[in-house]
Amino acid sequence: YQRRVHGKQWYQRRVHGKQWYQRRVHGDDRKAFMEEVKTTQTSDKHHKKEKTHTRFKFIDKGFNGGKDTDAVGKNSNRTTFECQVHFPRQFAALRMVACGGDKKFTHSLSRCNRWSATGGKKGSFAKTCDERYILKYVQKTEFQRFTDTAEKYFEHMARSFYKKYPSVLCQILGVYQVSWSVGGQKVKNRYILVMPNLFYGRQIASLDVSEDVHKWSQGCRIFDLKGSMRNRYIDNKTKERPQNVLHDGNFVEFTQGFPVPLDDTSKEFLYAAIHNDTLFLTQSEIVDYSILVGIDEQRSELLIGIIDYLRQYHLREKAEEIAKSFGVMTGGHKPTVIEPRAYKQRFRAAMDRYFMVAPDRCSKRPLRPKGKSIEDAVREIHINC
């Protein structure tokens, strides 16, 4: 009777217990990942007792096996490499859930090439040869800020995977610090974040400027959206090298001022995902993030992922906001970087303008409760965070 009234899942959880039910539904991956999240919390409180990184070191003696020496007597061809893997256990558990383990992941990372991504700094990106993952080289300050808030990141990922919270956050699958020195010279450091390629297996549209009339080739049109209109338009007509990743002004021009229509389920998921992710980023005091949107007209698909969530709101960002706010008095737009809560609200409002629901036969029409105004009813339907 209880199984019939409450359902099979409730009955199994009541009879066999919560732990048995979680193992049955999610498998051992959930248990491993949640244990690693707890390990992160413990190591963050007692970071002096337990290290959060693993160090690997190897030496290349050169072609002649280290026989070549300089005037001082040191091996001039000897190169020392060192790699620090931060949060190895936590990221290994995350990769087990997100991309099926480390075997294919390490195989992809074994061969990489430089990649000049439009919209980013020159030489700040690399891409694996199979184009599955992207390596982003960041500054030391951004790297340290992410490692300081890694506990919140793993908790957010755990809620997304196991509690089924909607999320469009582009996942970071590994954090590494690589250093090397040649012939005993000064050590050079690189701080690397590994992320999945959002447009893996897709043809990216490019702008043909060979003719007088600029034409876009067939493929996925990419836009980097922040919800701000200040300096957020790229005029490819005045550039020698056209950019394939466009900004908010170009997105409004592409859609002719109309929002992109989505079905009821997709809009509901996107709305909840943006609210969950921006709430997490605001609690971590992160600003200047953006959402990468790919419009594949051939497949009628929309590819979305929030990227660049490494910049925290500190004294430098406050000074930048104050300096750029003087243009608002003359009728200009607000600066792109503002305090986290205001950035969150502007970002959410812009996504509501850019994407709208297109009702169909399966759409549910919300009914207004008796005795309440329209504003109160709408406020209850939407998610307030």
Side-chain angles (χ1 to χ4, degrees):
Y1 174 76
Q2 290 179 344
R3 184 171 181 174
R4 187 173 181 180
V5 173
H6 300 284
K8 181 179 178 181
Q9 295 180 352
W10 180 91
Y11 181 77
Q12 289 179 344
R13 192 169 181 174
R14 177 71 178 273
V15 174
H16 300 285
K18 182 178 179 181
Q19 295 181 354
W20 180 91
Y21 176 76
Q22 290 178 348
R23 289 197 302 269
R24 177 72 180 273
V25 176
H26 303 287
D28 295 334
D29 293 342
R30 172 187 171 89
K31 182 179 179 181
F33 189 44
M34 297 305 294
E35 286 179 354
E36 301 307 334
V37 172
K38 293 179 181 178
T39 305
T40 308
Q41 299 173 357
T42 306
S43 61
D44 185 68
K45 295 178 181 178
H46 309 284
H47 59 279
K48 293 183 180 180
K49 298 181 180 180
E50 184 175 348
K51 295 182 179 180
T52 58
H53 63 271
T54 304
R55 182 175 299 179
F56 299 92
K57 184 177 181 180
F58 58 95
I59 300 173
D60 182 10
K61 296 183 180 180
F63 294 103
N64 296 329
K67 296 180 180 180
D68 297 338
T69 57
D70 54 9
V72 188
K74 295 183 179 180
N75 182 9
S76 57
N77 295 327
R78 178 174 175 174
T79 306
T80 304
F81 296 93
E82 185 174 321
C83 179
Q84 293 186 16
V85 184
H86 291 258
F87 302 100
R89 297 171 59 186
Q90 289 80 4
F91 277 115
L94 175 60
R95 290 190 296 267
M96 182 64 67
V97 181
C99 52
D102 287 344
K103 186 175 181 180
K104 295 181 179 179
F105 180 76
T106 53
H107 183 268
S108 299
L109 290 183
S110 61
R111 298 182 63 188
C112 303
N113 291 326
R114 289 184 179 180
W115 180 50
S116 56
T118 57
K121 297 181 180 179
K122 294 183 179 179
S124 59
F125 290 93
K127 185 188 290 187
T128 59
C129 290
D130 58 2
E131 297 186 351
R132 286 183 178 272
Y133 303 100
I134 292 177
L135 287 73
K136 183 177 182 181
Y137 305 111
V138 298
Q139 300 293 331
K140 183 178 180 180
T141 54
E142 295 179 342
F143 186 85
Q144 290 179 344
R145 288 172 184 174
F146 176 79
T147 54
D148 293 340
T149 60
E151 176 187 347
K152 296 181 181 179
Y153 171 75
F154 291 124
E155 290 178 355
H156 184 69
M157 289 292 101
R159 288 193 294 266
S160 174
F161 281 111
Y162 299 115
K163 293 187 178 180
K164 304 302 179 182
Y165 284 12
S167 174
V168 291
L169 202 69
C170 193
Q171 303 145 6
I172 295 177
L173 302 175
V175 176
Y176 308 95
Q177 179 182 348
V178 180
S179 59
W180 68 94
S181 61
V182 181
Q185 297 178 359
K186 186 178 180 180
V187 177
K188 298 180 181 179
N189 292 305
R190 279 290 183 93
Y191 303 93
I192 305 173
L193 306 179
V194 182
M195 300 172 292
N197 184 9
L198 188 62
F199 306 106
Y200 171 71
R202 306 275 179 163
Q203 182 181 357
I204 306 301
S206 59
L207 183 62
D208 185 11
V209 295
S210 58
E211 302 178 359
D212 295 336
V213 180
H214 293 190
K215 294 182 179 180
W216 285 91
S217 63
Q218 293 184 353
C220 192
R221 296 286 298 271
I222 303 177
F223 299 91
D224 188 306
L225 307 178
K226 291 188 176 182
S228 173
M229 287 297 177
R230 182 175 181 135
N231 299 328
R232 298 292 296 171
Y233 181 82
I234 296 178
D235 190 2
N236 281 321
K237 297 180 181 179
T238 60
K239 293 182 177 294
E240 297 180 357
R241 182 188 175 188
Q243 295 189 15
N244 298 331
V245 180
L246 305 179
H247 291 167
D248 296 69
N250 306 97
F251 181 80
V252 175
E253 184 182 55
F254 173 74
T255 59
Q256 299 180 356
F258 294 96
V260 177
L262 303 175
D263 59 62
D264 195 7
T265 305
S266 301
K267 173 60 179 177
E268 183 180 358
F269 178 86
L270 179 62
Y271 183 87
I274 290 177
H275 274 66
N276 291 334
D277 293 333
T278 52
L279 179 62
F280 154 68
L281 296 174
T282 304
Q283 291 174 349
S284 302
E285 298 292 324
I286 295 176
V287 294
D288 203 26
Y289 48 88
S290 60
I291 187 166
L292 200 61
V293 178
I295 302 177
D296 194 342
E297 295 180 326
Q298 295 178 346
R299 303 184 184 180
S300 298
E301 292 180 353
L302 199 66
L303 307 174
I304 291 180
I306 294 180
I307 60 172
D308 296 337
Y309 48 92
L310 298 174
R311 188 176 180 183
Q312 288 184 315
Y313 190 77
H314 291 304
L315 183 61
R316 180 181 177 182
E317 285 72 22
K318 293 181 182 179
E320 179 181 346
E321 179 184 358
I322 295 173
K324 293 183 179 181
S325 297
F326 291 102
V328 181
M329 302 177 183
T330 60
H333 295 285
K334 291 184 178 181
T336 304
V337 178
I338 53 179
E339 65 95 14
R341 292 188 178 181
Y343 193 97
K344 176 191 68 175
Q345 296 298 335
R346 185 183 65 185
F347 188 85
R348 291 177 176 179
M351 296 306 113
D352 286 339
R353 293 194 308 268
Y354 294 159
F355 306 98
M356 65 169 289
V357 61
D360 55 10
R361 295 179 180 178
C362 299
S363 300
K364 295 181 180 180
R365 181 181 177 183
L367 300 176
R368 184 177 66 179
K370 295 182 180 180
K372 291 187 178 181
S373 63
I374 297 179
E375 291 78 8
D376 295 338
V378 171
R379 192 177 298 109
E380 289 183 359
I381 295 173
H382 287 73
I383 302 175
N384 294 320
C385 298

